[in-house]
Amino acid sequence: MDSLEPASNLLEYNEARYRILAEQSGVMITLHRPGDWAYSAVNPAVEQLTGYRADELLGLPAYELFHPEDAWAMQHKLIPAIKKHGTRTFRYRSRNRQGEYRWVESTHRSIRDEQSGELKEIIAVTREVQQEVEAEQALQRLAAVVEASADLVLLCDEQLQVLDLNRAARQALGRSESGAEPQERFSLRDYLSTESVQKIRTIALQVARQKGRWKGAIRLDFPGRKEGFWQLEQLISTHTEPVYGLYSLIIRDRTEEQAVQQALQDKQQQLAHSERLMSLGEMASGLAHEINQPLASLLNYARGGLRKLKQAETISPDKLTQLLSAMEKQAERAAAIVRQLRSMVKKTPLRPELIDLEQSLREAVNFVEQELEQQSVNIRWDKPQGKAQVMADKVQLQQVWVNLLINALEAMAQSGDRSGNNNAQREINISIQALNKAETHSQDWQVDIVDQGGGISAEEMTHIFEPYYSSKSSGMGLGLSISRSIVESLGGGIDVDSDGQSYSCFRIRLAASR
């Protein structure tokens, strides 16, 4: 400043001050000739932004450094607009010394002769905006993805007032497409049931407010829509400006998925029902004998009583009571067998209930009792420590046990045929034990059904659970496949282990009911 003080001319003094400001500025300040837009003066910042020295740019038309897509617009639209209106700000891509195109933003202002109005020069102030443009482009891409998403995406406040929403949400809620004017705010509460609103505010919003994000599955009811299965699956809290204190809701339409799952479940039930009928067909003779036993006993008691009456014998009240009681027990036994048969044959909807595993297995053993007697096979029990309970459909779970028991009996029968020793005392071991999972602080129940048959070969082990694969010439290959589907639908699993010679173990894991 000391060098400027002696200046007597105020204009020279100001020009010197502006020159110092321009030279020290971190932005690129340039002057251009009106005709070809060539650089006529540049400040030192030009080398930092472009890599070119000042002497390399002087006399060079600026639009020669523009990206080809921007150069035409600059020459034919922007330059005429600057000449006409005096000032314009625009963004374009400019090539640096390394040959890279970088986004920059320039404000151009025309300088005219005060007397004649003739355009003398154009001054441009330019700064690099590469990061800003990349951020904007990323945001635009993200917005395009959100807009094209099939999920309903809404931006709401804590009162569920909707500030913005994507196309899928507008269509689902029957809102008009957004145009140039901003959407009028509305409340999501006007579209949801009271129960759905309560769940969102007391479950999802509470967690998102504390942790920043809630993820789960809340079924939403839209009273205005008769069909559809909608789930709120994520609720994200925003903690950055300019949307601080707002929440993004992601709602998914699960209607088609539910329809597919229902169709698969119906198909599984049909296959399971067919497999039960097939199993009953294979056990028809044994079942006939099982039912015939109580009926034959009933007939004998009735004939004995009639014979005494015909012979005019006097029956004491105690003897008559004993006779009728015995007949009642045999009738109840026959009725119980018929009920069990009907439950296996009847096509009923799934009814999950609390099942005692030991009781369920014992009922299945009773169902194949005739086959056990015919083959002289005993059941050895390893009882669980405590009450082994799971949530399952009673008929389907019994179907799994019966299928595995029948397979075990058939394996032992085939093994006896091969060895020629059919009268040896043999056992099927059934054990129930608890499996504690430390990582989730939960518990499973494991059921092992072990037979003393000829085992399963390594090749058979790789296909044993596949549909329509069977080692039996008369088998359909559906039993184990359906059993696995039933167990997995309960959130469990089924495995098999065998030495291929003397035993097979089917291991079933089911989540304990809490």
Side-chain angles (χ1 to χ4, degrees):
M1 294 297 293
D2 293 340
S3 62
L4 297 178
E5 289 178 358
S8 57
N9 189 304
L10 183 59
L11 180 60
E12 291 180 1
Y13 173 75
N14 287 333
E15 286 180 352
R17 292 177 63 201
Y18 294 144
R19 188 179 297 110
I20 292 174
L21 289 174
E23 290 176 353
Q24 298 299 320
S25 174
V27 297
M28 179 176 166
I29 302 174
T30 58
L31 291 174
H32 300 268
R33 294 197 300 253
D36 56 4
W37 216 259
Y39 291 99
S40 59
V42 296
N43 71 335
V46 69
E47 187 170 355
Q48 181 181 351
L49 266 67
T50 68
Y52 290 103
R53 300 190 309 273
D55 61 302
E56 293 178 301
L57 292 180
L58 292 176
L60 178 71
Y63 45 74
E64 289 189 11
L65 298 178
F66 290 4
H67 191 281
E69 295 176 2
D70 301 329
W72 186 91
M74 180 67 182
Q75 288 179 278
H76 297 86
K77 292 184 177 181
L78 296 172
I79 290 177
I82 293 168
K83 289 180 178 179
K84 180 178 180 181
H85 300 288
T87 303
R88 278 292 184 271
T89 298
F90 58 94
R91 288 181 175 181
Y92 59 92
R93 288 160 289 182
S94 180
R95 188 181 70 247
N96 60 22
R97 191 180 184 86
Q98 289 74 35
E100 299 175 335
Y101 285 102
R102 307 283 291 179
W103 281 98
V104 297
E105 182 179 82
S106 293
T107 299
H108 290 69
R109 181 179 180 84
S110 58
I111 302 174
R112 297 180 181 273
D113 185 272
E114 295 182 0
Q115 300 297 327
S116 65
E118 179 186 358
L119 181 62
K120 308 296 286 184
E121 281 184 312
I122 295 92
I123 184 171
V125 178
T126 306
R127 66 185 184 94
E128 185 175 298
V129 291
Q130 181 70 25
Q131 292 184 347
E132 294 178 26
V133 171
E134 289 177 352
E136 290 173 2
Q137 290 175 342
L139 188 60
Q140 289 172 357
R141 289 193 296 269
L142 180 60
V145 170
V146 172
E147 186 66 14
S149 174
D151 295 338
L152 280 61
V153 183
L154 303 96
L155 184 66
C156 304
D157 61 18
E158 288 200 358
Q159 303 304 317
L160 297 184
Q161 290 287 325
V162 179
L163 282 72
D164 201 1
L165 66 169
N166 68 343
R167 182 184 296 113
R170 290 193 294 273
Q171 292 176 350
L173 301 179
R175 307 291 299 185
S176 61
E177 292 293 322
S178 60
E181 295 297 325
Q183 285 269 338
E184 180 183 354
R185 290 192 182 186
F186 64 94
S187 177
L188 190 58
R189 291 175 295 179
D190 297 336
Y191 293 84
L192 294 174
S193 66
T194 304
E195 182 181 1
S196 296
V197 172
Q198 189 71 10
K199 286 180 180 179
I200 292 175
R201 299 192 66 180
T202 58
I203 300 175
L205 271 174
Q206 290 275 12
V207 175
R209 197 179 295 120
Q210 296 172 4
K211 299 183 178 181
R213 176 192 294 265
W214 170 88
K215 189 174 183 180
I218 296 179
R219 171 75 186 275
L220 301 180
D221 295 319
F222 289 86
R225 299 179 64 92
K226 294 182 179 180
E227 299 179 354
F229 188 95
W230 306 85
Q231 279 188 173
L232 173 65
E233 300 195 347
Q234 287 195 67
L235 194 148
I236 305 165
S237 175
T238 56
H239 295 290
T240 56
E241 296 293 348
V243 288
Y244 182 83
L246 300 180
Y247 300 86
S248 297
L249 280 68
I250 300 176
I251 301 171
R252 184 157 295 173
D253 183 358
R254 296 286 190 182
T255 306
E256 292 186 8
E257 183 179 331
Q258 283 293 114
V260 171
Q261 288 181 353
Q262 185 61 48
L264 289 174
Q265 190 177 41
D266 292 343
K267 195 69 176 178
Q268 178 184 326
Q269 284 188 263
Q270 291 175 5
L271 285 172
H273 182 249
S274 300
E275 199 270 338
R276 288 201 298 272
L277 293 177
M278 182 183 68
S279 298
L280 290 174
E282 293 176 354
M283 297 187 296
S285 60
L287 291 172
H289 177 77
E290 187 74 12
I291 297 174
N292 189 56
Q293 282 185 333
L295 293 179
S297 297
L298 264 174
L299 183 61
N300 289 334
Y301 286 132
R303 284 174 176 173
L306 286 172
R307 185 171 57 252
K308 287 183 178 295
L309 292 174
K310 287 179 179 179
Q311 294 174 356
E313 293 184 16
T314 301
I315 302 177
S316 67
D318 291 341
K319 289 286 185 181
L320 182 60
T321 300
Q322 291 177 2
L323 176 64
L324 293 177
S325 296
M327 294 176 67
E328 181 184 29
K329 288 180 180 179
Q330 295 302 322
E332 287 177 349
R333 183 184 174 194
I337 294 171
V338 171
R339 280 197 302 271
Q340 192 171 20
L341 284 173
R342 289 188 63 185
S343 68
M344 290 288 288
V345 175
K346 189 177 180 182
K347 202 173 183 180
T348 56
L350 296 178
R351 291 192 179 92
E353 57 182 295
L354 196 61
I355 301 293
D356 183 283
L357 280 179
E358 184 179 357
Q359 181 181 346
S360 178
L361 282 159
R362 288 189 181 277
E363 289 176 358
V365 169
N366 291 338
F367 196 77
V368 297
E369 186 176 5
Q370 183 63 30
E371 282 71 21
L372 291 169
E373 291 180 1
Q374 288 178 353
Q375 294 193 40
S376 300
V377 175
N378 291 329
I379 298 292
R380 183 163 65 88
W381 294 91
D382 290 335
K383 295 182 180 181
Q385 297 291 328
K387 200 78 168 175
Q389 294 182 320
V390 298
M391 284 297 294
D393 180 82
K394 181 178 180 180
V395 173
Q396 282 201 346
L397 194 57
Q398 281 194 358
Q399 181 176 354
V400 173
W401 308 139
V402 169
N403 188 16
L404 295 178
L405 289 169
I406 290 174
N407 285 350
L409 286 166
E410 289 179 346
M412 294 174 74
Q414 292 175 2
S415 176
D417 291 340
R418 289 194 296 268
S419 65
N421 184 12
N422 292 318
N423 297 320
Q425 187 73 12
R426 293 166 296 173
E427 292 181 336
I428 294 176
N429 179 257
I430 301 177
S431 65
I432 307 171
Q433 57 183 323
L435 297 177
N436 295 312
K437 297 186 289 185
E439 65 277 7
T440 57
H441 303 287
S442 60
Q443 180 179 280
D444 285 350
W445 288 108
Q446 178 176 299
V447 177
D448 288 355
I449 298 179
V450 184
D451 65 63
Q452 298 174 2
I456 304 170
S457 68
E459 182 181 356
E460 289 176 331
M461 293 270 279
T462 61
H463 304 288
I464 195 167
F465 291 108
E466 294 178 3
Y468 307 109
Y469 175 82
S470 176
S471 59
K472 298 178 291 185
S473 58
S474 60
M476 292 180 63
L478 289 174
L480 288 176
S481 174
I482 290 173
S483 295
R484 183 174 68 172
S485 297
I486 292 172
V487 172
E488 290 181 348
S489 71
L490 299 173
I494 180 170
D495 298 311
V496 61
D497 179 36
S498 176
D499 63 355
Q501 297 178 349
S502 60
Y503 85 93
S504 298
C505 173
F506 283 88
R507 183 167 291 116
I508 300 91
R509 297 179 309 280
L510 295 169
S513 178
R514 292 177 293 278

